[in-house]
Amino acid sequence: MELLDQLPALIGVVVGSLGSYAAQSLTERRTWKRQREERWDEKRFEIYSGYAHALKAQLRLAQRIGAALGFADVTDPLPAAEGLPLLADAESHRATQWEAVLLVGDAATIAAARRWHETIWTIELLIREGPVDAEKWTRVHRMASAARDAFYESARRDLGIHGAPPPSGQWPRQWRAELSE
């Protein structure tokens, strides 16, 4: 009889222990999941920003070579003989960074990144083909600027950054037009 009298208390202890264990397990699982998501957000940020830096470096080299070809909206000319090997190295670096974007990026950000680097390739093709009219040069830079904006907008959304992205830059640069007045 004594065991029967203590059975409800024993069942209470067992149920309480199981409940406590389940609650603790759920809490630890949520904490682990949140920490994992934070780590991946940090990693995605590093990868996205590294990719953007690689593309900007590539674009800057192409623009400097363009300046040597006579495009007025770019300074610091770099002769093609010196710049094209540097541009090839920059493309290799960008391609390496691209693989990381493919691994961690969502579909929309990958598509936006692809569009951006394809517009940079178009600029490179223009400088490799030699003299090109200024209107085409301006148009492809506007395309690259729009592609860059789309990449940043998509990357910010993937990273959970709220608010509008910064305003887009204008090509050719506004200060150029203001100096001409």
Side-chain angles (χ1 to χ4, degrees):
M1 275 295 200
E2 279 182 29
L3 183 59
L4 224 51
D5 290 339
Q6 293 180 0
L7 191 58
L10 247 123
I11 291 173
V13 168
V14 169
V15 168
S17 296
L18 289 175
S20 178
Y21 174 77
Q24 183 66 25
S25 293
L26 284 173
T27 301
E28 286 182 22
R29 181 179 168 94
R30 284 186 191 128
T31 301
W32 177 82
K33 195 173 183 181
R34 187 179 64 249
Q35 288 173 343
R36 185 186 64 172
E37 287 171 5
E38 288 172 3
R39 280 193 310 270
W40 277 111
D41 282 348
E42 289 174 18
K43 193 63 169 167
R44 269 197 314 274
F45 173 79
E46 290 170 14
I47 288 169
Y48 288 163
S49 63
Y51 189 70
H53 291 156
L55 270 173
K56 290 294 280 189
Q58 194 172 350
L59 175 61
R60 183 71 181 124
L61 282 169
Q63 288 173 329
R64 291 183 64 203
I65 296 168
L69 295 173
F71 295 110
D73 293 318
V74 182
T75 58
D76 302 332
L78 181 64
E82 294 175 38
L84 290 176
L86 296 174
L87 196 54
D89 288 343
E91 167 56 21
S92 293
H93 178 67
R94 185 222 48 91
T96 301
Q97 296 286 319
W98 174 242
E99 296 305 317
V101 173
L102 289 173
L103 283 172
V104 302
D106 67 355
T109 305
I110 290 169
R114 179 175 283 122
R115 177 71 181 132
W116 188 18
H117 75 237
E118 287 172 352
T119 61
I120 303 301
W121 289 347
T122 303
I123 293 169
E124 288 184 24
L125 288 173
L126 289 177
I127 63 170
R128 289 178 191 278
E129 291 172 357
V132 66
D133 65 75
E135 185 179 314
K136 193 180 278 188
W137 180 256
T138 298
R139 188 170 54 244
V140 74
H141 274 81
R142 284 183 178 149
M143 290 168 50
S145 183
R148 174 186 169 268
D149 291 347
F151 170 75
Y152 280 119
E153 185 177 330
S154 185
R156 287 169 60 95
R157 186 174 36 256
D158 187 31
L159 293 168
I161 299 172
H162 302 289
S168 180
Q170 301 297 314
W171 188 270
R173 301 295 181 220
Q174 186 64 34
W175 63 268
R176 275 302 251 212
E178 291 169 357
L179 289 176
S180 301
E181 296 174 351

